[in-house]
């Protein structure tokens, strides 16, 4: 199931989107969805990384050295 959302775009962005859709034969909705999904992946990664960094700084998350990781993975040969 999909949900509908309304957004406001600056005139220039809207026009660029319309031109792209017309030139490629795809809908503006297609490109909006593609852009959101791509950006959302990046935003989720950034948010999770910031959370882990905050946990490390607060002592709630432990780190290990590269040498220890190599030993654990059996790469220290």
């Amino acid at each position: 199931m999909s949900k509908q959302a309304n957004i406001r775009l600056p005139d220039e962005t809207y026009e660029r989107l319309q031109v792209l859709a017309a030139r490629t034969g795809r809908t503006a909705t297609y490109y909006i969805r593609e852009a959101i999904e791509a950006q959302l992946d990046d935003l989720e990664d950034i948010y999770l990384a910031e959370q882990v960094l905050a946990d490390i700084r607060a002592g709630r998350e432990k780190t290990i050295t590269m040498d220890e990781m190599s030993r654990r993975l059996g790469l220290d040969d």
Side-chain angles (χ1 to χ4, degrees):
M1 186 166 168
S2 61
K3 302 289 183 190
Q4 186 173 357
N6 295 318
I7 62 168
R8 290 189 186 275
L9 298 173
D11 291 344
E12 181 182 339
T13 302
Y14 179 82
E15 292 302 322
R16 290 175 60 198
L17 184 59
Q18 294 304 312
V19 169
L20 177 62
R23 287 185 178 171
T24 62
R26 297 214 183 242
T27 65
T29 301
Y30 169 83
Y31 288 111
I32 291 168
R33 186 180 309 116
E34 288 291 305
I36 289 171
E37 288 176 2
Q39 187 66 24
L40 191 55
D41 286 342
D42 291 343
L43 291 171
E44 288 169 337
D45 289 345
I46 290 167
Y47 173 77
L48 292 173
E50 288 173 345
Q51 288 300 114
V52 170
L53 181 58
D55 288 345
I56 290 169
R57 288 179 174 161
R60 293 184 298 266
E61 184 80 27
K62 302 295 180 200
T63 62
I64 61 172
T65 66
M66 183 63 109
D67 289 339
E68 176 61 22
M69 179 58 74
S70 293
R71 278 193 294 283
R72 288 183 185 188
L73 296 174
L75 303 175
D76 58 346
D77 297 3

